[in-house]
């Protein structure tokens, strides 16, 4: 029996690093969902870049092994970050992410104020995303770190932050 509703909007852009190529997919599970999709403005349904289309097909058809490697590298980095913080910045709180390449760091213990990303950039020359941008209350004293980098870059970033305390 077909589903009465369900619409998935997805793309190869994040997983396969194709963010600059416009190529999202809208998948529906029923006539009702298809009617919703058809009601979107023309640009939403049909405006896709040719390179985005070609790259997405190639990624979905042939990129499985590459993606497996990327996911393994990110998993290694989230574990490496936990070890680096335990060794070099034990007062920084970090909960290992389960489904993202972004780490949320509580840097409050460093005494760097509401926006520790600004301090990290100035003192350690490490660019983090500023926590308050993600919500004034929850983001105070926090910063976001991108784990989709080499282990060497991650290690250097944490060493610089530790040295800047």
């Amino acid at each position: 029996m077909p589903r009465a509703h369900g619409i998935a909007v997805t793309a190869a852009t994040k997983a396969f690093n194709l963010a600059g190529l416009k190529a999202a997919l809208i998948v529906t599970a029923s006539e009702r969902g298809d009617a919703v999709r058809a009601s979107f403005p023309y640009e939403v349904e049909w405006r896709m870049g040719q390179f985005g289309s070609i790259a997405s097909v190639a990624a979905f058809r042939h990129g499985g092994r590459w993606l497996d490697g990327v996911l393994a590298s990110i998993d290694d980095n989230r574990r490496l970050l936990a070890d680096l913080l335990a060794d070099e910045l034990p007062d920084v709180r970090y909960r290992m992410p389960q489904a993202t390449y972004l780490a949320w760091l509580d840097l409050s213990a460093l005494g760097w104020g509401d926006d520790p990303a600004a301090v990290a950039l100035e003192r350690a020359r490490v660019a983090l995303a500023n926590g308050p941008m993600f919500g004034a209350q929850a983001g105070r004293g926090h910063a976001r770190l991108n784990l989709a980098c080499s282990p060497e870059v991650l290690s250097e970033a944490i060493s610089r932050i530790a040295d800047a305390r």
Side-chain angles (χ1 to χ4, degrees):
M1 173 178 195
R3 302 279 181 198
H5 49 77
I7 298 174
V9 179
T10 188
T13 54
K14 289 279 186 191
F16 293 97
N17 197 21
L18 304 174
L21 303 174
K22 185 174 178 169
L25 306 166
I26 301 171
V27 181
T28 62
S30 67
E31 288 182 25
R32 180 178 170 206
D34 198 42
V36 170
R37 182 207 37 82
S39 73
F40 294 161
Y42 177 81
E43 308 80 48
V44 172
E45 186 175 1
W46 294 106
R47 196 171 175 189
M48 174 187 262
Q50 181 179 11
F51 291 125
S53 176
I54 293 167
S56 294
V57 169
F60 287 134
R61 283 190 182 157
H62 308 291
R65 286 187 17 212
W66 179 86
L67 183 58
D68 289 344
V70 168
L71 294 174
S73 294
I74 292 169
D75 186 50
D76 290 346
N77 275 358
R78 61 187 195 110
R79 294 172 197 286
L80 174 61
L81 178 59
D83 292 342
L84 291 168
L85 291 174
D87 292 345
E88 298 188 48
L89 292 164
D91 294 332
V92 171
R93 292 188 318 220
Y94 159 69
R95 183 172 32 171
M96 201 177 296
Q98 297 299 310
T100 180
Y101 55 86
L102 301 168
W104 188 245
L105 303 177
D106 181 350
L107 301 167
S108 301
L110 299 181
W112 288 359
D114 288 349
D115 182 10
V119 179
L121 183 59
E122 181 183 323
R123 291 188 194 170
R125 308 309 298 161
V126 173
L128 304 171
N130 118 359
M133 179 175 70
F134 299 96
Q137 291 296 98
R140 258 189 235 134
H142 291 73
R144 196 173 73 168
L145 174 100
N146 191 324
L147 295 168
C149 60
S150 72
E152 295 79 16
V153 167
L154 182 59
S155 297
E156 177 76 17
I158 298 306
S159 291
R160 287 183 184 192
I161 292 170
D163 291 344
R165 285 181 289 181

